[in-house]
Each structure stands twice: as C-alpha cells, then as structure tokens.
Amino acid sequence: MNVIEVTNMNRSFENGKEVAHVLKDINLTVEEGEFVSIMGPSGGGKSTLLYLLGGLDMPTSGTVKVNNTDLKTLDDKGLCKMRNEDVGFVFQFYNLVPNLNVEDNICLPLMIAGKSKSAYKDKLDECLRVIGMEDKRKLTPRELSGGQQQRVAIARALVFDPKIIFLDEPIGNLDTKTGTRIMELFRDINQKYHKTIVQVTHSESAAQYGTKLVRLVDGQIQSVEPIAQIVG
C-alpha cells in the first residue's frame, strides 16, 4: 500500500520578478514499510521535497497525498494534527528544549496536542527503551552528547506512534561512529517497528541503510532504484 503519492508536483518561489523552479514534475510513491533515501547535490531541492511530503510546505501545482489524503484539502488545524500525530520529524539540529529533561522533551508533542503525559506512560517507557536511554530520563540536553540528543529527538518523533518518519540530514552534526549507531537505530525502527522512513542525506553510507534510493538533480528525479540491504 502506498502511504505517500506525489503526482506531477512542482514547487517554485518568487523573488521580485525572478521565479526559481525548485522542483519540477515530481512523481513519486512510497510504500508502507519502505526506507527511502533521497540524495543529490546541495541546492537540488531535497529538503524542499521532504517538507512538502511532510506537510510543512505546499506545492505550487500537483498533489501530495499522505495516507490517501491530499494535503491541499486540509486546513491549518488538520495539517497541524497530521504533522503532530500521523508523521514524525527528525532534523539535523536536535531542537530540544534546554530546560526540559529527556522525558519531557520526548513528551512535547503530547503537551502541544493537549494530551495527558500520564496517559502515555507506557509509550514513553517504550520510546526510552527503543533509544536505549531509560537511565537518562531525568537529564537535560546539556548533560547529553550529540548522539544522545539525537536519540531523544528520535523518541520524540515516535511518541505518537506515527506511520511515517521524515529525516532531514539526521546525522549531519555527528561524528562517523555516532552517525553509524544512529543509522543502525533507524534501520531497526524501520524493520522491527515497521515504520516507513523517508530521509534526505548527503551521505552515501547513510543512504545505504534504506531500501530505495531516489536521486534528485536540479529539482528533478533522475533515478529511483532499490538498495541491497546491509546485513548486521
């Protein structure tokens, strides 16, 4: 089943009399359970495409459907609900709240949605187990390494149990060893918890953790190819 369908999608930006065509005639499907890696040169439209898939931006023309819903049909409230509950985001910068501890940072989407933290205690405990940080739930971000902060950001993306997780250069700020561990965690989340993952990355090695590689050049999809799975 396709959880994402993009049809004849374009995105352009106007700057005075200039029009920049960032994405051109994009057609793409993402099946449930896939781990899609989007690669391409800087400035080629990768992050713009990711934001459109996640409802953070809207296309100039064409359609983006997530879970069979055309995002253009949602009002602001519907988009906010979709972004908060149905999908998760992990960015290059961890965006943790400095004065909140680990468990409160993870529960931030619950607080924004007006949900009770106590009602999600079991889910919080499960998220902490997934990221391997049960013993650090009361620490603040300043007491954590970069890799640990990214793990907290991952748990925050999982707390509402979304079907789809979007990653924007998720290991861009990490050293190679830590980055490998984070990518292994994403692979486990994809395989063990059956989450659909779409990532934008500059790293060929990070891309290889996916199941499908999309190459984007000058705003157009150049190729879509399967990735042989890494064993281990």
Side-chain angles (χ1 to χ4, degrees):
M1 183 181 76
N2 292 331
V3 293
I4 298 174
E5 295 182 12
V6 181
T7 307
N8 299 327
M9 192 264 287
N10 292 270
R11 184 64 171 105
S12 59
F13 297 91
E14 293 186 16
N15 183 14
K17 294 182 180 180
E18 298 291 324
V19 178
H21 297 280
V22 178
L23 294 171
K24 308 160 191 172
D25 298 320
I26 300 295
N27 289 281
L28 180 67
T29 59
V30 178
E31 294 182 14
E32 185 175 9
E34 280 193 308
F35 187 157
V36 178
S37 297
I38 302 172
M39 292 197 71
S42 295
K46 300 186 303 299
S47 291
T48 300
L49 176 56
L50 193 77
Y51 298 159
L52 287 159
L53 299 182
L56 295 172
D57 191 13
M58 284 292 131
T60 306
S61 63
T63 60
V64 178
K65 290 185 177 181
V66 176
N67 295 327
N68 211 32
T69 297
D70 184 345
L71 298 189
K72 277 188 175 179
T73 66
L74 298 177
D75 58 15
D76 288 343
K77 184 177 180 181
L79 281 170
C80 286
K81 186 176 188 297
M82 186 274 293
R83 291 191 297 255
N84 199 43
E85 300 180 15
D86 300 334
V87 303
F89 294 91
V90 179
F91 299 99
Q92 179 176 353
F93 301 99
Y94 322 123
N95 298 322
L96 303 182
V97 179
N99 60 334
L100 295 184
N101 62 28
V102 165
E103 63 177 35
D104 285 342
N105 264 290
I106 293 171
C107 290
L108 199 56
L110 303 176
M111 300 175 195
I112 292 171
K115 306 290 186 181
S116 166
K117 178 180 169 182
S118 60
Y120 283 79
K121 182 184 180 302
D122 290 345
K123 189 62 186 178
L124 171 62
D125 291 343
E126 180 187 356
C127 289
L128 286 164
R129 284 195 299 273
V130 170
I131 64 170
M133 290 182 61
E134 296 138 291
D135 59 338
K136 294 179 171 58
R137 64 172 66 219
K138 296 301 182 182
L139 298 183
T140 57
R142 67 177 63 88
E143 298 172 280
L144 304 175
S145 68
Q148 289 170 331
Q149 290 186 58
Q150 190 62 301
R151 285 175 179 267
V152 175
I154 293 166
R156 182 180 59 195
L158 290 171
V159 72
F160 258 125
D161 200 22
K163 288 185 176 181
I164 307 168
I165 302 172
F166 295 106
L167 316 176
D168 190 6
E169 297 286 359
I171 61 171
N173 281 340
L174 303 175
D175 62 77
T176 302
K177 185 175 181 181
T178 304
T180 297
R181 290 174 179 165
I182 293 296
M183 291 311 305
E184 289 172 348
L185 176 57
F186 284 130
R187 181 183 60 196
D188 288 346
I189 290 169
N190 171 244
Q191 295 179 352
K192 294 180 182 178
Y193 299 93
H194 310 294
K195 300 299 181 186
T196 304
I197 296 179
V198 181
Q199 75 159 333
V200 161
T201 181
H202 282 98
S203 167
E204 285 280 357
S205 59
Q208 295 305 308
Y209 284 86
T211 59
K212 184 164 77 177
L213 177 61
V214 177
R215 293 197 183 272
L216 191 69
V217 179
D218 294 333
Q220 295 181 298
I221 292 177
Q222 296 294 303
S223 64
V224 179
E225 55 199 67
I227 298 173
Q229 288 296 281
I230 298 172
V231 178

